[in-house]
Amino acid sequence: MTQEPARVPARRPTLRDVALLAGVSTKTASRVVNGEGGVAAAKVAAVQQAVAKLDYRPNFTASSLRRLNGRTAAIAALLEDVANPFSSALHRALEDVARDRGVMILAGSVDEDPERERALVHAFTTRQADALVVVPASESQRYLAGEVNAGTPVVFVDRPPVGVDVDAVLVDNHAGAAEAVHHLVAHGHRRVAYLGDLLSIATARQRFQGFKEALSDHGIRPSPEHIVHDLHTEGDAERAALRLLAGEAPPTALFTAQNLVTIGAVRALRELGRHHEVALVGFDDFPLADLLQPPVTVVAQDPSAMGRLAAGLVFRRLDGEHWTPTVHFVPTRLVVRGSGEIPGPALSPPARPGRSG
Amino acid sequence: MTQEPARVPARRPTLRDVALLAGVSTKTASRVVNGEGGVAAAKVAAVQQAVAKLDYRPNFTASSLRRLNGRTAAIAALLEDVANPFSSALHRALEDVARDRGVMILAGSVDEDPERERALVHAFTTRQADALVVVPASESQRYLAGEVNAGTPVVFVDRPPVGVDVDAVLVDNHAGAAEAVHHLVAHGHRRVAYLGDLLSIATARQRFQGFKEALSDHGIRPSPEHIVHDLHTEGDAERAALRLLAGEAPPTALFTAQNLVTIGAVRALRELGRHHEVALVGFDDFPLADLLQPPVTVVAQDPSAMGRLAAGLVFRRLDGEHWTPTVHFVPTRLVVRGSGEIPGPALSPPARPGRSG
DNA sequence: CATGCGCTCGACAACGATGTCAAGATGTAA
DNA sequence: TTACATCTTGACATCGTTGTCGAGCGCATG
């Protein structure tokens, strides 16, 4: 219980300090700290005492500089936004797998900004991340070629790589969207609207394709007014849905191709009091979807599974395994909850069954 | 467009390679890379060309090892769980402030596990994080004294430090909980139940104190069966709420002291079909609370504001400012949405208005 | 012409740690 | 006793980079 507040911040002790105090060489101190063995018991004890007394903590960055493989035991994750549920679930899954191996995750938010993506890659690679897990926002990731050639494992998640040949963990967005549309059509809908994210995002394009082709499988051609792209926030989506539903010949069902868009659409339907009339299927699940009125039917992705798979690929590469880059698909799952089963005109135009929303 | 896939991973180029190619010394190359000036234009150009040709990227960990202040431009965040909304909003706010300064965030999930907390602190400090932002789970953080003495800025968020004297950004949990209770009592409730998180968490204890004292201000003594602690998951909370509401003389209002607990309680009320009868105020806001039926009244914290404030403190310390550690309070805000305004018996016992759930 | 200044530039050491290697101590077998 | 293997140990170089410092040059000044 010393009183003086150590005004001059004590320099952090180094291995040299430990060695000096223990009366051994730095190399021997290093051996003890790393449990290398081949050190006399008496010296081991002396070093351990010195470590405890000085509260010594090895400088991991210095040691990884010298070590043979140069690993920093950190892998970088470029996420869309650490605060959105999809990204943070992915982040958590990566962390869980990495934790078992004593590896840290460096995470950053790309915010759909290609420049930001490059800045983050630069920041992470200069910090010698051992591997990169990327949810890309740019149109081409050719700039990663150098890293890939240098042997850094790179895994893309959610969106396919362009201009580089690396592993990817993707969702079959096309099939998922098509399943949503088939579901709506099966419930009697013909006028199905599409509300989607930025067309610059590959997954948005794929989902839109799936939407279009599924409708066309049923011989339906969506009216152009029922297709809205480039919605990236709840507010965007809400306004777009309001506009859509206020038009003439409004859609009887909505397919919303991203979770924030889905939530915006729910808001719009609520405001209009039509949430029990207009069917809705969203792509991507979100917390509390089951507690809304009606509960929201979604095509669920499994970000945790994607994260675990991506982390697995990273570690297998880090462990020295070799294979040609592969695309892995994680299945989507249609979660039927209510909003997608609201019947459309083609199913029950004359008489509705007794139960109402 | 070479065909061979560079089977032997090319060693990453170093400053020496750049210098060699440019025909200058490593020191001059370093000067150019760091924009130090005092280098002839011709050599600057030569170095820049070499950098471009080799796709050279400086090894940031090596340079921070040598640099005078030894800063790594990374600050560590020990969060409860990177995937929960409170933590990830905090994370994002930290990142936003740090980004402007070219600083990274190292985040890790503590999961309310004191051992994990120490492991993370160890991992982050051995990696030479410049500062620590901590949402602690342990009972005492005396073990951080060494770091603090070494001059590492440490800021606690959401929970007060114990055993170390550092800055903290807290919420007045006591007052927030009391406000919730006053609100419920004002709406006619006398039998108010408490459903709360692990008592090992300081904020849970404070919220419970606030609950108890606010009730006692109104001359109400809560029945012991109406107090449930140590609920840490939605499932826990749901089961507890079901049990509570099935008992005799069940509460007419619930105060749920954490967001997952609130959601669990909502689930229980739904299952019983009593969500329009039993009032509910939760501590901590959550996404879509406004879209539930009824919308959930909460005492909202502002994790973004807390993160920004914490990051601000960190950077002021890193910039060399000095002050004695201080506790900063970020106000809570009662967000009135509906569930907390369901009238209780003391307000309208005889005749209810017509509308029913 | 000698002097001094300012500008470039590179040799060298150092950051904190570990890989390499050989020296010395000890034990064992012939 | 000698020869040889084994175990400990530390001196030294090194990882990739930057801080220090002084050498060399050209130029203006007196």
Side-chain angles (χ1 to χ4, degrees):
Chain A
M1 296 263 185
T2 58
Q3 274 297 345
E4 63 257 35
R7 200 54 64 90
V8 179
R11 189 177 52 80
R12 234 177 273 277
T14 73
L15 201 57
R16 240 184 111 248
D17 301 320
V18 171
L20 236 52
L21 182 59
V24 299
S25 73
T26 58
K27 179 66 218 198
T28 295
S30 165
R31 277 191 265 256
V32 174
V33 167
N34 292 301
E36 269 185 44
V39 179
K43 302 212 170 182
V44 171
V47 170
Q48 283 171 343
Q49 270 180 35
V51 164
K53 177 157 184 185
L54 297 176
D55 190 25
Y56 167 75
R57 271 189 268 265
N59 181 330
F60 191 83
T61 83
S63 94
S64 75
L65 178 62
R66 184 64 179 94
R67 282 193 143 93
L68 280 185
N69 63 18
R71 295 272 171 84
T72 55
I75 74 184
L78 287 91
L79 306 172
E80 193 188 325
D81 171 2
V82 295
N84 91 23
F86 181 88
S87 298
S88 62
L90 187 62
H91 183 179
R92 181 58 207 244
L94 294 172
E95 184 187 355
D96 285 340
V97 178
R99 178 187 297 190
D100 296 334
R101 308 222 175 190
V103 169
M104 313 247 38
I105 305 292
L106 308 173
S109 302
V110 172
D111 288 335
E112 303 297 350
D113 176 354
E115 278 205 44
R116 175 89 191 124
E117 175 184 320
R118 297 199 58 153
L120 279 174
V121 166
H122 187 266
F124 289 138
T125 53
T126 60
R127 280 178 175 76
Q128 314 296 114
D130 294 336
L132 256 40
V133 174
V134 185
V135 179
S138 57
E139 298 197 356
S140 159
Q141 298 82 40
R142 198 188 310 275
Y143 67 91
L144 281 173
E147 286 307 314
V148 176
N149 281 338
T152 307
V154 176
V155 178
F156 275 42
V157 176
D158 191 47
R159 304 173 190 178
V162 177
V164 274
D165 194 23
V166 298
D167 290 313
V169 175
L170 306 180
V171 149
D172 191 340
N173 290 287
H174 190 286
E179 186 177 9
V181 170
H182 290 312
H183 187 75
L184 287 169
V185 170
H187 282 80
H189 295 278
R190 293 297 174 264
R191 294 208 308 279
V192 182
Y194 171 92
L195 296 168
D197 204 336
L198 302 174
L199 268 183
S200 64
I201 304 175
T203 56
R205 291 195 297 270
Q206 293 166 1
R207 291 171 197 175
F208 179 58
Q209 280 302 318
F211 164 84
K212 240 180 13 187
E213 291 179 22
L215 277 187
S216 125
D217 286 350
H218 294 282
I220 304 173
R221 228 176 29 146
S223 99
E225 304 94 68
H226 288 176
I227 293 171
V228 191
H229 291 294
D230 295 323
L231 306 171
H232 195 60
T233 66
E234 270 185 46
D236 290 348
E238 184 177 346
R239 281 184 294 276
L242 285 172
R243 201 171 337 112
L244 214 63
L245 293 163
E248 42 191 81
T252 65
L254 307 179
F255 170 58
T256 49
Q258 193 250 53
N259 54 9
L260 293 183
V261 175
T262 305
I263 294 169
V266 168
R267 288 221 146 81
L269 289 171
R270 275 294 177 78
E271 277 167 60
L272 299 172
R274 301 185 58 193
H275 47 299
H276 292 292
E277 292 165 30
V278 178
L280 172 67
V281 176
F283 204 111
D284 204 1
D285 204 359
F286 55 95
L288 302 195
D290 60 319
L291 280 182
L292 297 182
Q293 290 290 27
V296 180
T297 293
V298 298
V299 177
Q301 310 186 66
D302 188 345
S304 294
M306 297 173 77
R308 284 191 302 271
L309 182 49
L313 295 172
V314 161
F315 284 118
R316 280 172 51 199
R317 292 236 185 236
L318 285 174
D319 289 345
E321 252 185 86
H322 262 288
W323 66 88
T324 57
T326 315
V327 174
H328 299 254
F329 281 99
V330 173
T332 59
R333 198 165 48 89
L334 183 73
V335 182
V336 172
R337 294 200 180 109
S339 74
E341 295 71 47
I342 294 172
L347 192 71
S348 55
R352 286 259 206 77
R355 86 182 175 83
S356 77
Chain B
M1 295 272 182
T2 58
Q3 272 298 348
E4 63 258 38
R7 201 54 64 90
V8 178
R11 192 176 51 81
R12 234 177 273 277
T14 73
L15 201 57
R16 240 184 110 247
D17 302 318
V18 171
L20 235 52
L21 181 60
V24 300
S25 73
T26 57
K27 179 66 220 199
T28 295
S30 166
R31 277 190 265 255
V32 173
V33 168
N34 292 300
E36 268 185 44
V39 178
K43 303 212 170 184
V44 171
V47 170
Q48 283 170 343
Q49 270 180 34
V51 164
K53 177 156 185 186
L54 297 176
D55 190 26
Y56 167 74
R57 271 188 267 267
N59 181 330
F60 192 83
T61 81
S63 96
S64 76
L65 177 62
R66 185 63 178 96
R67 281 192 142 93
L68 280 185
N69 62 21
R71 293 272 172 85
T72 55
I75 73 184
L78 287 90
L79 305 173
E80 194 190 325
D81 171 3
V82 295
N84 91 24
F86 182 88
S87 297
S88 61
L90 187 62
H91 183 180
R92 181 60 206 242
L94 294 172
E95 184 187 355
D96 285 340
V97 178
R99 179 186 296 190
D100 296 335
R101 310 236 191 166
V103 168
M104 313 249 38
I105 305 293
L106 309 173
S109 302
V110 172
D111 289 334
E112 303 296 352
D113 176 353
E115 276 203 46
R116 176 90 191 121
E117 175 183 321
R118 298 200 58 154
L120 279 174
V121 165
H122 188 265
F124 289 137
T125 54
T126 61
R127 279 178 175 75
Q128 314 297 114
D130 293 337
L132 257 41
V133 174
V134 185
V135 180
S138 57
E139 298 197 357
S140 158
Q141 298 81 37
R142 198 187 311 274
Y143 68 91
L144 281 173
E147 286 307 312
V148 175
N149 281 340
T152 307
V154 176
V155 177
F156 275 42
V157 175
D158 191 48
R159 306 173 190 178
V162 177
V164 273
D165 194 23
V166 298
D167 290 313
V169 175
L170 305 180
V171 149
D172 191 340
N173 290 288
H174 190 285
E179 187 178 8
V181 170
H182 290 312
H183 187 75
L184 287 169
V185 170
H187 282 80
H189 295 278
R190 292 296 174 266
R191 294 207 306 279
V192 182
Y194 171 92
L195 296 168
D197 204 335
L198 302 173
L199 268 184
S200 64
I201 305 175
T203 56
R205 291 194 297 271
Q206 292 165 2
R207 290 171 196 175
F208 180 59
Q209 280 302 318
F211 165 84
K212 240 178 17 186
E213 290 178 24
L215 277 186
S216 123
D217 286 351
H218 293 284
I220 302 173
R221 229 176 25 146
S223 100
E225 304 94 70
H226 288 178
I227 293 171
V228 190
H229 292 293
D230 296 323
L231 306 171
H232 194 59
T233 67
E234 271 185 45
D236 291 347
E238 184 178 344
R239 283 185 291 278
L242 284 173
R243 202 171 335 113
L244 213 65
L245 293 163
E248 44 192 80
T252 65
L254 308 179
F255 170 58
T256 49
Q258 194 251 52
N259 53 10
L260 293 183
V261 175
T262 305
I263 294 168
V266 168
R267 288 222 145 81
L269 289 170
R270 275 293 178 81
E271 277 168 61
L272 300 171
R274 302 185 59 193
H275 46 300
H276 291 292
E277 293 166 28
V278 177
L280 172 67
V281 177
F283 204 111
D284 204 358
D285 204 358
F286 54 96
L288 303 195
D290 61 319
L291 279 182
L292 297 182
Q293 290 288 31
V296 181
T297 293
V298 299
V299 177
Q301 310 186 64
D302 188 346
S304 294
M306 296 173 79
R308 284 192 301 273
L309 182 49
L313 295 171
V314 161
F315 284 118
R316 281 170 53 200
R317 293 238 185 233
L318 285 174
D319 288 344
E321 253 187 84
H322 260 286
W323 64 88
T324 57
T326 315
V327 175
H328 299 255
F329 281 98
V330 173
T332 59
R333 197 167 48 90
L334 183 73
V335 182
V336 172
R337 295 201 179 108
S339 74
E341 295 72 47
I342 294 172
L347 194 69
S348 57
R352 285 263 205 75
R355 92 181 170 81
S356 77

